[in-house]
Amino acid sequence: MYSFSGLSTTLPDKYGCWHKFYCRYVLKLPSSPGLPLIFGKACHSVIETAIKAKDAEIIPMLVDVAAGSNDLDDEKETLNKCVCANAVHAAIEDGGEVEEYFQFPLDDSPFAPSLRGFIDLNQKNGKAMIITDWKTNRSTYHPTDTYQLGLYAAAMKKKHGLPVIGRLAFLRFNQVIEHEYTETEINEALEWARDTAYECEARKQRVEMGQDPSEVFPKSPGNCVWCDYKNFCLAPKTEIPEAILTHEDAKKVAHGIMLTKEKIKLHEDRLKKYITTQGSVETPQIKAEVNTSEYFRFDLKARRAVVEKMQRQKLDIGSILKIGSDAQKDLINKHGWKEKDFLDLGATIGKTARLSISKI
Ligand code: SF4
């Protein structure tokens, strides 16, 4: 099953390269989404909720929540500007199908790859289907510059049999660029998707048959700055020094720890998947197995009931319940408490030294 973004990952110098496809879809490496992706998702979630609620007045509240939960406080003004674009207000007014899912095979053969996707907004005006994709890009382009809306138009044409108008709503520019898709343009998009999907399948098979992945899925450095896998892909393959004698050694160790953690996570995920289906593995030195453990989960109602029971039994609630970092954050962020409030109530400040290595 392929999506437009998956297929376009293979396009060198535009969205990625074959190696990016390999990292994402073959190795299934965890990615670290950058600011553009996080910002785009936050915009989409605000717009989607406001259209579904048919209420533009909830936008400021949604922006607050989206900015807070995505660490986008510095981008809040831009986020607000984007989600208040004219096209968004028109969509809230006019309504339509939000995040409509589609899926169809790319040809009639029994093992044909399928294409799937979500259409941000789908509207019908009686004579045509109008599909809109919200864009937070820093530059505009025409819908026919990529095959994205051509493929979405193919899905809508199949479903409704009506002409399709594709709209790219560039939120940062408060500008909509639209295009009515011809049969030829839809077929050209489908042909590209089909050929690319078959090429992906063929390359995956070549690796399964033992060919060197670096030859089958070559790296094409060029447009790496926005690539989710740049830390993995472009990292120098340095050994972790045995001792830290200089600042350079320390940098190499910090980098090595980060890469090793990422690799361990990847290998753990793969081993867990294998053991779950094939059973535990054992050598004279180790045994690896997947153990299931159970734990209690308390929703709000259950938490309240626990506190009430403790009160009925006159238990010392303070000595049983811990005020952990999550509770402290909630009190500060949601209820306006200050650190001074904790100190005034008798909390003391403890100190712990923890090694923290994060991606910049
Ligand atoms: S960092 Fe560059 S070369 Fe590596 S996968 Fe990403 S786009 Fe390709």
Side-chain angles (χ1 to χ4, degrees), residues 44 118 120 131-135 148-149 152 167-169:
H44 276 72
F118 286 93
D120 287 346
I131 54 178
T132 303
D133 201 71
W134 310 114
K135 294 286 180 205
Q148 182 189 14
L149 290 193
Y152 293 5
R167 283 181 178 165
L168 293 178

Side-chain angles (χ1 to χ4, degrees), residues 297-309 312:
R297 282 197 302 221
F298 295 90
D299 61 11
L300 185 58
K301 196 171 149 216
R303 286 206 303 269
R304 282 192 179 133
V306 169
V307 172
E308 278 161 17
K309 180 160 181 177
R312 280 197 304 279

Side-chain angles (χ1 to χ4, degrees), residues 16-17 19-20 23 219-224 227 229-230 233-234:
C17 70
H19 197 71
K20 184 173 173 183
C23 290
K219 294 178 185 180
S220 309
N223 196 20
C224 304
C227 179
Y229 302 97
K230 61 177 182 292
C233 168
L234 303 178

Side-chain angles (χ1 to χ4, degrees), residues 56-69:
E57 286 184 9
I58 60 171
I59 286 181
M61 182 269 288
L62 294 174
V63 168
D64 277 346
V65 173
S69 56

